[in-house]
Amino acid sequence: MPLQLGLEVIDQGGVDVLRGHRPGDERGRGEVEQAALKLSKESIPRYCALACVGEARRRLAATPRPSLGGPAAYARRLARSLNFLCDHYEHIDGIHS
C-alpha cells in the first residue's frame, strides 16, 4: 500500500526506482571510497568518508520494513546516505585540489 508523504506517494515501486539509482551504487560509492583512500591513513576526512561508505552499504542491504516507517522512511534514509556521500566527495575533492 502506498504511503502518503506530503504531496508525494512512495510505494514499493518508488523504492525500487530509488534502489536502481541509489547512493550505494558502486559508481558513487566507489568514487568516494577511491578518493578517500588517496588521503593519508591518519586523515580524519578519510576516516569519515570510509565510515559513510560503510553506512551506505548497510542501508542498501536493508529492506523497507513497516515497523521502521516502510518505503517512505527507507527512501529518506537512502537520500540521507546519498547526501552524505556527496558532501564527503566534495570535501575530499577540495583537499586534492
Side-chain angles (χ1 to χ4, degrees):
M1 169 173 216
L3 295 176
Q4 188 70 34
L5 184 64
L7 299 175
E8 300 174 34
V9 175
I10 298 177
D11 59 7
Q12 186 59 46
V15 169
D16 291 341
V17 169
L18 281 171
R19 291 192 79 143
H21 305 282
R22 56 194 177 187
D25 182 332
E26 283 302 324
R27 291 169 293 177
R29 230 181 17 217
E31 290 177 25
V32 173
E33 190 168 31
Q34 290 304 312
L37 290 172
K38 291 178 184 175
L39 299 174
S40 74
K41 291 186 179 184
E42 297 82 29
S43 169
I44 292 172
R46 172 190 167 120
Y47 173 81
C48 293
L50 292 176
C52 186
V53 168
E55 179 65 20
R57 285 185 176 131
R58 284 187 293 281
R59 287 188 177 186
L60 286 168
T63 56
R65 296 189 328 210
S67 63
L68 295 177
Y74 180 74
R76 285 191 299 272
R77 288 190 294 275
L78 292 178
R80 281 194 298 267
S81 288
L82 175 60
N83 188 45
F84 291 137
L85 284 172
C86 290
D87 287 347
H88 286 297
Y89 185 77
E90 288 174 358
H91 182 74
I92 290 170
D93 190 46
I95 292 171
H96 286 298
S97 298

